[in-house]
């Protein structure tokens, strides 16, 4: 697919995570849409002492193979928002 991968090598934060293969690092989901799911995101995260979710070691949104996983999980976010509006 042509829409499931994007790199911005000019970004001052590129790459924003330590990875083995920079050619496979995707910036498509620069800000992870799954962050809002908290513990239900499925990623490799920890909570800091102040209770902030730290995703430093998670590369789920940055791998091409996980494009469908991320977009599928976005349905959960839509449902969360829908429940708050109703």
């Amino acid at each position: 697919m042509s829409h499931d991968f994007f790199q911005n090598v000019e970004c001052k934060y590129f790459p924003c995570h330590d990875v083995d293969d920079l050619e496979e690092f995707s910036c498509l989901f620069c800000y992870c849409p799954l962050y809002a799911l908290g513990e239900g995101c499925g990623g490799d995260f920890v909570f800091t002492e102040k209770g902030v979710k730290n995703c430093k070691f998670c590369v789920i949104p940055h791998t091409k193979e996980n494009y469908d996983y991320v977009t599928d999980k976005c349905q959960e976010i839509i449902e969360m928002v829908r429940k708050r509006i109703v």
Side-chain angles (χ1 to χ4, degrees):
M1 285 187 266
S2 63
H3 61 276
D4 60 1
F5 183 84
F6 168 77
Q7 270 192 342
N8 182 5
V9 294
E10 299 300 318
C11 176
K12 69 179 183 176
Y13 300 109
F14 182 83
C16 58
H17 295 271
D18 291 330
V19 293
D20 294 328
D21 188 357
L22 284 180
E23 289 186 25
E24 295 294 319
F25 188 87
S26 179
C27 304
L28 184 63
F29 299 113
C30 177
Y31 174 80
C32 182
L34 306 182
Y35 186 89
L37 292 173
E39 294 180 4
C41 70
D44 184 16
F45 64 90
V46 295
F47 285 104
T48 67
E49 291 178 10
K50 295 183 179 182
V52 176
K53 188 176 173 187
N54 179 344
C55 306
K56 177 180 176 179
F57 301 106
C58 182
V59 293
I60 284 178
H62 299 295
T63 54
K64 187 176 186 176
E65 296 79 29
N66 289 329
Y67 174 83
D68 289 333
Y69 175 82
V70 173
T71 56
D72 289 345
K73 291 290 270 184
C74 284
Q75 289 296 27
E76 291 180 37
I77 296 169
I78 292 168
E79 289 303 315
M80 285 173 41
V81 170
R82 187 173 292 150
K83 288 177 183 177
R84 287 183 178 227
I85 292 174
V86 175

